[in-house]
Amino acid sequence: MKKSVITIPLLLIATILTIFFGRRYAAHQQEEMDNNQLLIVEEATDDETEADQSSQYNETETDSLSHSIEEYESRIDSLSLYETLDYLSLTNEDVTVAYYGDIDAEAEWVSLVNNYLNTAVSGNLTISNFTYPQEDTYELYIQQTTQSLTSENPDVIFYGLPALPDKIRDIGLAETEQYMTALVSQLNDLDTTELILIEPYPIVNEINQLNSRSLDYRSYLGRMQQVASELAVPIIPLHDEFTSRTEESGLEAFYTEDNTQLNQEGVELVVTILDEWFQQDL
């Protein structure tokens, strides 16, 4: 009898505790289920939001792209070089610039110019080198150097004029005109390519250094400028602009002590002149 009296309360307490902890456990499980369901809903909402934002971004980007193309096409005949390259990169997804002639592709000013071109272009920019440093017009012509360049059909060609190499070869101005005309005509025959001639910057230690014909490199440059004018090919007046802008301080201030290379100020001036020209209407 005593055992029954003691056992009954204990069983009652155990039952109550079981019910209590069972309800707590059930409530905890329900809370976890609710939290998990809420998390699933939030994740789905986030995914939908991200998808909407991505869709809106793509639509905005497409609208912006279309607007740029339309804006360029509205004034297609008055685009600068920068704008022309950007327009072609937007419509074709890729635009190609090629260097040709008497240009050192490893020169610092070329690298800086390439950076400017890359910055201006929204799409892909490919830069090709068909350069022949220190090669004169005779060699460029006789070696048929334009063939590989024309086969690539770049969008823009920068042709560095080899005035100093022609002077060093000691050919006549008539020969320079002949070879120069042939080379420019071959490159200018590409319907979809913009040919741009670039004068050399002043060569300080070669000024007034005459060959056997009593000509310095500026004489050959003058004949090349004449060819460009006759064939209506744009030419960047780098030599003339550089000379004009350094008239007050003197050319020597923009070259190394031996006057053979541009110093930092000289490089910056070359890039500035080219950048300003690139911003003008073609």
Side-chain angles (χ1 to χ4, degrees), residues 108-123:
E108 183 180 0
W109 69 266
V110 174
S111 177
L112 293 174
V113 166
N114 290 342
N115 289 340
Y116 275 79
L117 297 176
N118 270 300
T119 301
V121 171
S122 302

Side-chain angles (χ1 to χ4, degrees), residues 59-114:
E59 289 176 3
T60 302
E61 187 178 32
T62 301
D63 291 343
S64 176
L65 178 64
S66 300
H67 175 71
S68 296
I69 293 175
E70 291 173 1
E71 198 277 327
Y72 283 146
E73 289 179 344
S74 68
R75 52 188 183 88
I76 196 69
D77 294 326
S78 60
L79 297 180
S80 69
L81 176 65
Y82 284 141
E83 293 171 329
T84 298
L85 292 175
D86 189 35
Y87 170 69
L88 292 174
S89 79
L90 292 172
T91 55
N92 302 332
E93 296 184 355
D94 186 77
V95 62
T96 305
V97 171
Y99 288 92
Y100 172 75
D102 186 26
I103 293 177
D104 178 7
E106 302 299 319
E108 183 180 0
W109 69 266
V110 174
S111 177
L112 293 174
V113 166
N114 290 342

Side-chain angles (χ1 to χ4, degrees), residues 99-103 130-149 159-163 165-166 169 171 176 179-180 182-184 186-187 224:
Y99 288 92
Y100 172 75
D102 186 26
I103 293 177
F130 293 86
T131 54
Y132 299 86
Q134 302 178 7
E135 292 284 3
D136 52 77
T137 53
Y138 170 77
E139 288 295 334
L140 292 177
Y141 174 74
I142 208 68
Q143 294 179 27
Q144 300 181 342
T145 57
T146 60
Q147 288 188 359
S148 58
L149 178 54
Y159 176 7
L161 300 181
D166 272 30
R169 175 170 280 275
I171 63 177
T176 286
Y179 301 132
M180 181 73 184
L183 292 167
V184 171
Q186 291 166 8
L187 297 175
M224 293 175 179

Side-chain angles (χ1 to χ4, degrees), residues 221-237:
L221 177 57
R223 185 58 62 94
M224 293 175 179
Q225 292 168 334
Q226 179 182 323
V227 170
S229 177
E230 291 173 353
L231 297 179
V233 177
I235 181 171
I236 302 178

